[in-house]
Amino acid sequence: MTKTKIYILLGVGAYLLFMLISLPAQYPMMLLNAPLAKSGISLHGVSGTLWNGKIGVVSLGRVQLENVSWQVRPSRLLLGRLELNARLQKERSYLQGQIGVTLTGSRYASNLEARILVNELLSLLNIPLVKAEGTLNGFVRKLSVTGGGVSQAEGRIAWQDAKILSPQRVDLGGLVVNLETTAEGVKGTLSDTGGALQLQGVLNLDIEGGYRFNGQFSSRDSSQPMLDQALRMMGPVGADGKVQINRSGTLQQLGIQL
C-alpha cells in the first residue's frame, strides 16, 4: 500500500471518528425510543453528544432517575473495551463511577461511589410491602460480572441508621459488608457497628452465579421485642441466644439476574 493510500485511510478514519464524537446524542436515542418504550422506559431531556451526553430524566414506569450522564473514555477503546464515566441520580441518592463492557461480553465497573437512601431504593425496585429507612454508603473499587455470576468485587458497603418500619418499627443500628476477591470467588464479610442487631456472617459468590451464606444473628436490645420475634422467624435460637443461618443456591433463585 502506498503512502498516499495510507494517508487517505488515516484521514477517512479520523473524519469518521470526529463525526462519531460530535454526533448529537438525540439521534441514537431517537432510534432507541421504540424498543425502550416496549420495556416501559422513556427518555426526556437528552442533550450533548454520543461521546459526552446527559439525559434529564429516565422514566422506568413510576420510577424516575434524574441527571443521568456519561462520558466515553477513548483510551479504553484501544484495549477493546467500551467504558463510560457515568452518574445516575434520583432525588437525594446517587451512583457514579466507571462502567464498561469487553469484547467478550463481560461487564465491569470501577471506582463506584454511592449514597442511596433505602426508601428511594425500595421505590426504585418496586418493593411496596417492605418499608425501611437509612442510608447506603459504599465505595466499590472493582466489580466484574461474567456470564451469570460475579467474578470480582472489592469494596465496602454500609447501611447506616438501619431501620425496618413495617409491620412495626425496629432500629437495627449499622450494618457493613466488606467485599474481596479470593481464589474461590467473591467473599463478603458481614458485621454490625454496635447497634441493636448483632451480626456476623460470610457470603460467598462464585462465577457460575451460585451463593453460600453462613451467619449468626442476635439482639442486643431487650427493649425491642419485635427484633427478637423477627429473629425467631429466621430460625431456631441456640443456647447462646443466636440464630444460625446457613443458606445456599443460585442468585437466579433469589430473583437476581446478572
Side-chain angles (χ1 to χ4, degrees):
M1 183 179 295
T2 65
K3 289 184 178 181
T4 301
K5 290 182 179 180
I6 293 176
Y7 292 146
I8 291 174
L9 289 175
L10 290 175
V12 171
Y15 175 75
L16 292 176
L17 180 60
F18 171 78
M19 293 296 293
L20 180 63
I21 292 174
S22 58
L23 179 68
Q26 293 94 326
Y27 295 142
M29 295 305 174
M30 287 173 59
L31 298 176
L32 292 174
N33 276 339
L36 288 176
K38 293 181 180 179
S39 302
I41 302 173
S42 58
L43 311 177
H44 310 276
V46 179
S47 60
T49 66
L50 184 61
W51 208 258
N52 188 351
K54 180 178 179 180
I55 303 175
V57 177
V58 178
S59 298
L60 300 88
R62 295 177 297 175
V63 177
Q64 291 188 336
L65 297 176
E66 305 163 358
N67 300 321
V68 178
S69 59
W70 70 90
Q71 181 182 41
V72 177
R73 305 187 70 187
S75 61
R76 296 300 188 267
L77 293 175
L78 300 176
L79 301 176
R81 300 179 179 182
L82 175 60
E83 184 173 309
L84 312 175
N85 287 320
R87 178 181 173 90
L88 296 86
Q89 184 173 340
K90 183 184 186 298
E91 298 178 8
R92 293 171 292 170
S93 300
Y94 73 89
L95 172 67
Q96 64 185 20
Q98 290 85 48
I99 59 174
V101 61
T102 67
L103 290 176
T104 60
S106 297
R107 291 150 290 160
Y108 66 91
S110 59
N111 300 320
L112 285 178
E113 179 185 350
R115 180 183 182 274
I116 301 174
L117 301 187
V118 172
N119 60 335
E120 293 180 358
L121 177 63
L122 294 175
S123 173
L124 177 64
L125 299 177
N126 194 24
I127 307 178
L129 299 180
V130 178
K131 296 186 182 300
E133 285 186 349
T135 305
L136 292 175
N137 289 305
F139 180 76
V140 177
R141 191 168 66 87
K142 291 182 180 180
L143 176 66
S144 298
V145 176
T146 303
V150 180
S151 56
Q152 186 180 40
E154 297 177 16
R156 183 180 189 271
I157 302 171
W159 183 6
Q160 298 177 331
D161 299 321
K163 299 178 180 67
I164 304 297
L165 302 182
S166 64
Q168 186 170 327
R169 181 186 176 110
V170 178
D171 295 333
L172 303 177
L175 310 175
V176 177
V177 56
N178 288 290
L179 301 168
E180 60 180 317
T181 305
T182 69
E184 292 76 28
V186 171
K187 176 182 177 182
T189 303
L190 287 78
S191 61
D192 65 86
T193 59
L197 178 65
Q198 185 174 9
L199 164 63
Q200 290 182 325
V202 175
L203 173 66
N204 295 103
L205 303 173
D206 61 49
I207 197 170
E208 276 79 34
Y211 78 90
R212 185 175 70 257
F213 175 75
N214 299 297
Q216 292 181 332
F217 300 79
S218 61
S219 173
R220 294 190 181 97
D221 189 353
S222 59
S223 67
Q224 296 194 82
M226 285 298 298
L227 178 55
D228 288 322
Q229 181 178 338
L231 292 174
R232 287 194 295 269
M233 293 177 62
M234 295 171 61
V237 180
D240 58 358
K242 298 180 178 180
V243 176
Q244 181 73 40
I245 302 295
N246 299 297
R247 299 283 188 273
S248 62
T250 66
L251 296 177
Q252 190 172 11
Q253 292 171 337
L254 300 176
I256 301 174
Q257 188 70 43
L258 299 178

